[in-house]
Amino acid sequence: MHQRDFARQGGADAVTSALWPLSVDGLLLLATAGLLKPAEGRGRRARYVVWLAFLLGIAVSLAANIAAAATLTWKPVLVAGWPPVALLLSVELLVLRPTKHGATTLRMRRTLPL
């Protein structure tokens, strides 16, 4: 609901604001899937594009969450901002997860922009 309200405050009409959460969450979902796929066969540019899509989705989600905070004091902002930050950190941990053989995939790590 807060993403829809965020879009309305930004000037979106009723239909666009109703679709706004799908665009943000859909981008995050697809980017996460892209990050979790093995890096073999994809170039560095493709990995950067996937990371850029993921980070932009996080930024928009974070902005919408903070805009929906009850007040702009540290506790409500922390509570509102935590979910996108937790998602960012969770996906990073999944990307860096050990392989079946117990070692982190170095080829994948070398292509990350972070």
Side-chain angles (χ1 to χ4, degrees):
M1 180 140 128
H2 59 279
Q3 286 187 18
R4 187 180 63 215
D5 294 341
F6 185 70
R8 289 288 278 173
Q9 291 170 1
D13 61 24
V15 173
T16 305
S17 64
L19 295 174
W20 180 271
L22 293 174
S23 70
V24 175
D25 294 340
L27 178 64
L28 285 168
L29 178 66
L30 290 174
T32 299
L35 290 170
L36 296 178
K37 287 178 82 175
E40 292 90 22
R42 290 193 286 168
R44 182 180 288 276
R45 183 173 185 265
R47 295 295 292 174
Y48 281 125
V49 170
V50 173
W51 268 107
L52 178 62
F54 181 72
L55 293 174
L56 284 173
I58 290 291
V60 171
S61 181
L62 185 61
N65 284 14
I66 290 174
T71 61
L72 291 180
T73 57
W74 75 271
K75 285 181 185 178
V77 167
L78 178 64
V79 169
W82 177 247
V85 172
L87 176 62
L88 171 68
L89 296 173
S90 297
V91 169
E92 178 71 8
L93 290 172
L94 284 172
V95 167
L96 296 175
R97 73 192 181 283
T99 62
K100 288 185 239 177
H101 306 292
T104 301
T105 307
L106 295 176
R107 287 182 306 246
M108 186 182 294
R109 184 61 185 156
R110 282 188 212 124
T111 63
L112 297 179
L114 299 175

